[in-house]
Amino acid sequence: MRRRLILKMIPAGVLAGLPTFAGAARAAGLVPAFRGTPRIAVGGIASECSTYSRIRARMEDLTVLRGQDVFKAPLSLPLQRYETPFLPTLTASAPSGGPVERQTYETLKADYLERLKKLLPLDGVYLMMHGALSVEGMDDAEGDWYEATRAVVGPDCLISAYYDLHGNLSRRAVDTLDAMTAYRTAPHVDRVENVMRATDMLTHCLRYGLRPGIVWASIPALLPGEQSSTEWEPGRRLWADLSEYNRLPGILDVSQLVGYVWADEPRAAASVVTTGTNIEEQTRIVTELAARYWDARHEFHFDSPMGTIEECLSRAMVSVTHPVVISDSGDNPGGGGNSDQTFFLQALLKAGTKDVLLGGMTDRPATDACYRAGVGATLPLSIGATLDPLMCRPVHVKKAVVKHLTAVTRPEDGEAVVEFDGITATLSARRRLYHSAESFRDMGVDPAQFKIVVLKCGYLHPTMKVLANPALMALSPGAINQDILHIGNRRRRPTWPWVPDLAWTPEPYISARFRRG
Ligand SMILES: [Zn+2]
């Protein structure tokens, strides 16, 4: 689940107050070992790709930053805090969605490696990742990226990466990295801290001549993303004390990943992973936390009452309180859904439901048609099923009235509000999130004024949560179907909950980098 954070709004004092390792190192009597300024490259590739999606991310769908432009990314801002200049290569990121087209990935990797070679010799590499990247015809794309990086920089260079909480780890990745960390919150509100954990570890180890290593336990349990919040139990308590473990001797980082369930591949699993210089302590921590996570697996649950589309709609139509906010969770672009499915719209029309806001439908042709017609015009529209015509059928509306068009300079940024049959719908030319109340108010639509609000989202954005009266979650079909027991499951290892009586005990794995001494 990816959510933007505007770093510009973070007061400088907050960044300055983030923990660093320097003070602890001085207290421990460590003496700087590095002579001169270490050379650290920065790069990476990040996306969250559902292997159940038929959409492919092509070059034009990715944000690619090269050279000094790498520092324009909001999450690169914390790098300015270091005396050591980071040396830019290439960063690429795609919104959550389908797998990345193979040729796009190969082109980006070649560009990145070429830039990395020009920076040699390097003492460190810092990689901005996600952990749920899928590339056409390739398993474990992150592992491929790390191995290619290692082949360029050599065995002595330290590589540190950060992950999303919803990333999948592999033995190949663990055997190639020296340090890693991951978000400790869902929704992800610790993005800056995550960057700084990864970069602090790297700069600290280079400065004091430490060679950290990773100990990891893969946990064969997966959850629907919408159950993985750290705002309610058991997520709240399972992640709450990770920073306490960081204070133990020889421990640099302890992270716990939910994994990404919509990747039907062997590596998909939850993880506990530690970086440090104390194999025994790390092994103890990983064993303890992995067992704790496994024991809590039955406690994970959705935040809202859930049901099928029809069940949620029936309940909403008789509700005496409003607005009833329903998540069309299987089509949420925030987790990799298409955002062009019409199952909910079909159900609304079939039931004759009025006074409804349907937010977040992606449809480039329909949006373009609205711009051609202009505000106030009435036109026939075909809505939905343009990105994946095999998943569902479009809905043909005879008379839609254009109520709003956002002023944009590029057609791909277009967004429209249309009304038809008692339904107000937002259309956008490209896949984007319409989760907050502000995203609708910016288009002149107030979600609070509707009887029913249907959103292509999962757990609700805080600004929508305060409006919802009540909130319901529809377990709708789609690329991120939350009803995970019924998604295709061909390539995964035996994993709970598909194997309900699976017996398992933690088997900590020590990175090959660590074992080499
Ligand atoms: Zn996430």
Side-chain angles (χ1 to χ4, degrees):
M1 312 286 144
R2 297 168 64 83
R3 208 163 277 179
R4 248 178 107 84
L5 183 70
I6 308 301
L7 292 177
K8 279 188 293 190
M9 296 171 66
I10 298 171
V14 173
L15 286 179
L18 287 169
T20 68
F21 293 105
R26 274 195 299 276
L30 281 174
V31 178
F34 203 92
R35 293 175 189 278
T37 304
R39 290 177 59 77
I40 304 175
V42 53
I45 183 166
S47 189
E48 183 176 58
C49 309
S50 167
T51 62
Y52 299 92
S53 172
R54 277 183 283 267
I55 299 177
R56 293 291 174 269
R58 300 186 168 81
M59 194 62 88
E60 62 268 26
D61 300 313
L62 284 104
T63 300
V64 183
L65 300 175
R66 298 176 175 86
Q68 291 297 322
D69 283 350
V70 164
F71 299 119
K72 291 180 180 172
L75 281 179
S76 293
L77 188 65
L79 303 183
Q80 296 173 8
R81 183 168 170 265
Y82 294 92
E83 289 175 17
T84 306
F86 283 78
L87 308 169
T89 59
L90 170 153
T91 59
S93 60
S96 301
V100 174
E101 184 188 49
R102 181 63 174 258
Q103 189 52 52
T104 295
Y105 172 80
E106 296 295 351
T107 302
L108 289 169
K109 187 173 83 171
D111 192 350
Y112 158 70
L113 294 175
E114 204 51 45
R115 290 168 186 275
L116 199 62
K117 281 175 195 162
K118 286 181 181 159
L119 296 176
L120 293 174
L122 285 164
D123 305 295
V125 178
Y126 158 59
L127 294 174
M128 304 164 83
M129 310 296 281
H130 180 290
L133 179 69
S134 173
V135 174
E136 275 184 325
M138 177 184 283
D139 263 346
D140 193 11
E142 279 90 359
D144 179 72
W145 191 272
Y146 301 146
E147 283 187 351
T149 302
R150 178 63 69 196
V152 168
V153 300
D156 295 328
C157 181
L158 297 186
I159 306 178
S160 176
Y162 77 65
Y163 269 43
D164 189 280
L165 187 83
H166 302 101
N168 292 320
L169 267 170
S170 68
R171 190 171 282 203
R172 195 175 169 201
V174 167
D175 279 344
T176 326
L177 294 172
D178 297 286
M180 74 156 292
T181 188
Y183 295 143
R184 292 176 183 163
T185 57
H188 309 315
V189 293
D190 63 333
R191 289 177 185 269
V192 177
E193 290 87 342
N194 199 35
V195 168
M196 303 218 43
R197 284 194 292 268
T199 49
D200 272 356
M201 275 194 285
L202 186 56
T203 54
H204 169 78
C205 289
L206 286 172
R207 181 172 168 81
Y208 295 103
L210 303 176
R211 297 213 64 87
I214 291 174
V215 180
W216 164 61
S218 178
I219 308 166
L222 285 166
L223 308 170
E226 304 309 335
Q227 291 187 351
S228 65
S229 175
T230 56
E231 294 195 341
W232 63 84
E233 297 296 346
R236 194 201 312 249
R237 72 168 191 273
L238 293 177
W239 271 265
D241 61 356
L242 292 193
S243 53
E244 297 297 318
Y245 284 89
N246 278 41
R247 300 198 179 138
L248 297 172
I251 303 302
L252 294 169
D253 186 85
V254 180
S255 290
Q256 188 168 255
L257 291 83
V258 172
Y260 186 66
V261 68
W262 298 288
D264 186 14
E265 52 188 30
R267 67 172 180 163
S271 286
V272 174
V273 57
T274 68
T275 302
T277 55
N278 186 334
I279 291 180
E280 291 74 24
E281 187 72 343
Q282 287 172 252
T283 303
R284 182 189 70 77
I285 291 171
V286 159
T287 306
E288 184 176 309
L289 293 185
R292 186 175 75 170
Y293 187 95
W294 176 256
D295 290 343
R297 67 193 184 284
H298 296 284
E299 295 179 48
F300 287 95
H301 61 277
F302 295 112
D303 190 29
S304 313
M306 56 5 170
T308 64
I309 290 175
E310 289 72 22
E311 287 166 352
C312 290
L313 196 49
S314 300
R315 188 164 167 180
M317 288 171 74
V318 298
S319 175
V320 292
T321 58
H322 307 108
V324 181
V325 181
I326 311 175
S327 302
D328 182 2
S329 63
D331 202 29
N332 167 21
N338 297 352
S339 72
D340 76 331
Q341 291 180 182
T342 59
F343 297 117
F344 225 114
L345 178 53
Q346 291 174 42
L348 288 168
L349 292 171
K350 186 178 176 186
T353 319
K354 310 290 183 195
D355 201 3
V356 179
L357 170 62
L358 178 69
M361 180 71 81
T362 304
D363 190 321
R364 176 71 188 266
T367 307
D368 288 350
C370 290
Y371 275 85
R372 286 195 299 273
V375 173
T378 300
L379 74 166
L381 277 180
S382 170
I383 297 178
T386 57
L387 298 172
D388 183 357
L390 298 177
M391 186 71 190
C392 59
R393 59 179 171 79
V395 168
H396 298 288
V397 175
K398 287 180 183 161
K399 288 183 180 177
V401 180
V402 182
K403 304 299 286 187
H404 167 88
L405 294 169
T406 300
V408 294
T409 52
R410 307 183 310 164
E412 57 265 40
D413 295 330
E415 50 182 14
V417 178
V418 294
E419 280 183 13
F420 53 90
D421 300 323
I423 296 170
T424 298
T426 71
L427 304 174
S428 64
R430 62 179 166 84
R431 295 172 66 247
R432 52 201 289 184
L433 307 187
Y434 292 87
H435 290 177
S436 69
E438 284 71 27
S439 59
F440 294 100
R441 289 178 184 139
D442 289 347
M443 291 189 286
V445 177
D446 182 1
Q449 300 304 314
F450 292 84
K451 188 175 176 185
I452 299 173
V453 177
V454 179
L455 300 176
K456 292 192 181 291
C457 71
Y459 42 65
L460 295 183
H461 187 275
T463 57
M464 205 58 83
K465 197 167 182 174
V466 295
L467 295 181
N469 192 15
L472 301 174
M473 182 171 294
L475 301 182
S476 47
I480 58 162
N481 188 345
Q482 304 287 325
D483 183 12
I484 62 169
L485 273 175
H486 296 102
I487 63 177
N489 189 16
R490 299 183 190 90
R491 306 192 55 238
R492 253 184 283 273
R493 293 174 295 152
T495 301
W496 183 89
W498 296 277
V499 185
D501 55 353
L502 186 67
W504 179 80
T505 52
E507 294 176 20
Y509 177 77
I510 298 165
S511 161
R513 295 275 301 161
F514 217 169
R515 283 184 270 122
R516 77 189 185 123

